[in-house]
Amino acid sequence: MFKKNLVLDASAFIGGYVPEKECNFTVSEITDEVKDLKSLMIMERAIKEGNLIIDQPDEEDVLKVESSIKNSGDNLRLSNPDKKILALALSIKKRKGNVNVITDDYSIQNALKILGIPFRSILTPGISEVYNWKKICRGCKKKFSENYLEDECDICGSPIHKKRFKSSKMKKKS
Ligand SMILES: [Zn+2]
């Protein structure tokens, strides 16, 4: 099975995303935005285990992000790390052929729409608790981790049913 390339922003870590099987990338600036200890530990372990790669976008992609945002006319409130994440997504797409961004940040999501890059969010908007997902194949009933991003089962090809359950962990305020 081919590997998906994922670019993660700070909200992915704060939302509880654990980088495991896929190729996960982020920029070094994000480590400053992740403040809570648990998210930091998950992040550091992922880096140590080689599941998270700290990378840099190409200069031309940084410029492309700047000009796209300027031309869109939207008043997007993007921090410098946000722009770096967007530029890295463009660079990874160019280098590896595919990319998906994990973010809960509306400004980043809007900018990704403008740039034509697909994204997924971790948390459902407006929900204060952290939810976990159970993913079960409708066909063969295989269970998938919440990080499995395909819509179809890799065994039988049936659609995957997502079931949400509340976790006791509270969403950290950033
Ligand atoms: Zn199945």
Side-chain angles (χ1 to χ4, degrees):
M1 222 172 86
F2 90 108
K3 280 197 167 188
K4 262 223 166 99
N5 300 294
L6 300 175
V7 170
L8 313 173
D9 93 323
S11 63
F13 295 101
I14 294 160
Y17 178 81
V18 181
E20 275 170 350
K21 283 181 193 138
E22 286 86 4
C23 298
N24 299 279
F25 299 89
T26 195
V27 296
S28 56
E29 286 84 352
I30 289 304
T31 50
D32 301 329
E33 292 202 337
V34 177
K35 299 269 193 277
D36 74 287
L37 198 61
K38 197 184 173 208
S39 304
L40 267 177
M41 279 168 64
I42 288 169
M43 202 162 148
E44 275 163 15
R45 196 193 313 139
I47 292 168
K48 205 187 270 177
E49 289 173 354
N51 292 326
L52 177 65
I53 297 152
I54 305 289
D55 211 334
Q56 287 295 320
D58 298 336
E59 190 57 36
E60 60 176 66
D61 293 321
V62 176
L63 298 172
K64 197 177 169 186
V65 167
E66 294 284 357
S67 66
S68 307
I69 291 165
K70 222 176 279 171
N71 293 338
S72 77
D74 285 333
N75 187 19
L76 296 174
R77 285 186 295 171
L78 294 165
S79 66
N80 277 328
D82 294 346
K83 288 176 190 166
K84 272 265 182 95
I85 283 290
L86 292 164
L88 182 64
L90 286 174
S91 296
I92 296 295
K93 191 182 173 190
K94 198 170 61 191
R95 293 173 203 162
K96 311 264 182 186
N98 72 75
V99 76
N100 213 312
V101 179
I102 309 282
T103 180
D104 278 325
D105 186 301
Y106 280 121
S107 295
I108 293 179
Q109 289 179 354
N110 283 328
L112 287 166
K113 280 181 204 160
I114 293 163
L115 295 166
I117 291 176
F119 58 85
R120 309 255 175 154
S121 56
I122 297 276
L123 305 168
T124 310
I127 292 173
S128 57
E129 292 100 339
V130 170
Y131 282 86
N132 289 317
W133 296 86
K134 272 181 183 160
K135 293 185 169 183
I136 301 161
C137 172
R138 282 193 200 276
C140 68
K141 309 291 179 207
K142 180 183 172 180
K143 290 192 181 76
F144 294 89
S145 89
E146 61 185 300
N147 291 333
Y148 187 77
L149 297 178
E150 303 301 320
D151 299 321
E152 287 170 359
C153 175
D154 62 353
I155 303 293
C156 70
S158 301
I160 289 169
H161 178 60
K162 284 200 286 187
K163 221 176 150 186
R164 201 169 68 174
F165 64 95
K166 214 187 273 186
S167 125
S168 56
K169 189 170 73 171
M170 296 301 286
K171 185 183 177 181
K172 296 283 189 303
K173 287 203 178 83
S174 52

